[in-house]
Amino acid sequence: DVKVTQSSRYLVKRTGEKVFLECVQDMDHENMFWYRQDPGLGLRLIYFSYDVKMKEKGDIPEGYSVSREKKERFSLILESASTNQTSMYLCASTVGGGVYTDTQYFGPGTRLTVL
Amino acid sequence: QQQVKQSPQSLIVQKGGISIINCAYENTAFDYFPWYQQFPGKGPALLIAIRPDVSEKKEGRFTISFNKSAKQFSLHIMDSQPGDSATYFCAASLRSGGSNYKLTFGKGTLLTVNP
């Protein structure tokens, strides 16, 4: 079974803090993704990575950055957290390699609250 | 710009009834259409998917109907059960970053099946 784990299920931070969300997958997947999920807005793609040290902006990258130093780990960074970044953050991974029917495997999510 | 429109936002169905969720898209470059199911406290998981050269795909009680000319697709859940109560997301796949693919999700439908 593919397993995608996220470092925290719940996180509370203060405005202006630097926040790191960590995601690890154990199936040697090439591609990794970060989404945020908000009620009524669905899943919105923040950033994705299709190789180590490679990244591409998604639909809502503003206020976020990412890091992928190792194939299995993909980090989402909030440089200076703001209250409008309070959300559920979901990480996903796919096998990659140009397979258009690739399945996205999601982690359980991190619920971040910024006070 | 919302590229995949999903309706309804919420749906209540009696046990044994048929649940129908609809999605529409504009971008004809989308080439794969999966549905994801999300239970409370969990990440989304692939439920069923269809390619645009097929008009219907059935897996057990779940069926996708696809209308390429209308750019619409729908999920039908036959004999709906309380255990089907979840949030359902339609999605569409698009090539990005060379040979890799990313998903655009609809906003989700909260399905409640009453016993």
Side-chain angles (χ1 to χ4, degrees):
Chain A
D1 266 359
V2 175
K3 192 162 187 184
V4 179
T5 56
Q6 296 183 230
S7 52
S8 304
R9 293 301 303 270
Y10 300 93
L11 209 52
V12 179
K13 296 292 182 180
R14 298 233 173 249
T15 301
E17 280 193 75
K18 190 169 186 176
V19 181
F20 292 86
L21 302 182
E22 304 285 337
C23 175
V24 177
Q25 51 91 5
D26 66 357
M27 287 302 293
D28 201 34
H29 283 179
E30 290 186 6
N31 300 343
M32 297 186 76
F33 305 78
W34 275 107
Y35 296 88
R36 63 177 284 176
Q37 180 177 9
D38 301 288
L41 295 179
L43 297 166
R44 294 181 291 167
L45 182 63
I46 304 171
Y47 266 98
F48 67 103
S49 167
Y50 47 89
D51 201 352
V52 175
K53 297 189 186 293
M54 303 298 287
K55 61 185 179 184
E56 189 164 321
K57 291 181 180 179
D59 301 317
I60 52 164
E62 296 78 19
Y64 303 95
S65 63
V66 290
S67 173
R68 193 168 181 201
E69 297 295 321
K70 293 186 177 181
K71 190 175 185 179
E72 68 271 17
R73 189 178 297 269
F74 192 33
S75 301
L76 180 69
I77 304 158
L78 287 66
E79 294 290 342
S80 178
S82 64
T83 55
N84 63 13
Q85 292 178 310
T86 292
S87 186
M88 171 69 82
Y89 290 88
L90 289 162
C91 175
S93 70
T94 66
V95 172
V99 178
Y100 77 98
T101 57
D102 223 352
T103 297
Q104 294 211 2
Y105 294 91
F106 285 86
T110 295
R111 183 164 295 281
L112 173 66
T113 301
V114 182
L115 301 175
Chain B
Q1 179 188 2
Q2 185 191 355
Q3 296 194 57
V4 179
K5 294 184 178 180
Q6 182 172 348
S7 63
Q9 190 171 355
S10 63
L11 180 62
I12 300 174
V13 173
Q14 291 300 118
K15 179 182 176 181
I18 302 173
S19 304
I20 301 175
I21 304 170
N22 300 299
C23 285
Y25 63 97
E26 289 295 325
N27 191 342
T28 55
F30 287 136
D31 55 11
Y32 187 59
F33 300 89
W35 286 86
Y36 281 76
Q37 179 188 53
Q38 183 181 30
F39 293 106
K42 305 284 188 183
L46 179 66
L47 178 65
I48 186 172
I50 195 167
R51 290 165 26 186
D53 56 345
V54 176
S55 61
E56 185 176 283
K57 183 172 182 182
K58 184 175 181 179
E59 290 183 1
R61 296 184 293 109
F62 300 90
T63 300
I64 301 177
S65 297
F66 188 84
N67 186 329
K68 190 173 182 177
S69 60
K71 291 185 284 186
Q72 294 176 348
F73 58 111
S74 59
L75 176 70
H76 295 236
I77 306 174
M78 310 300 288
D79 187 26
S80 299
Q81 299 297 312
D84 297 330
S85 297
T87 300
Y88 292 81
F89 294 96
C90 62
S93 177
L94 188 67
R95 182 187 286 265
S96 179
S99 61
N100 296 284
Y101 293 84
K102 64 177 183 178
L103 293 177
T104 297
F105 287 88
K107 292 187 176 182
T109 297
L110 178 61
L111 171 66
T112 302
V113 181
N114 289 329

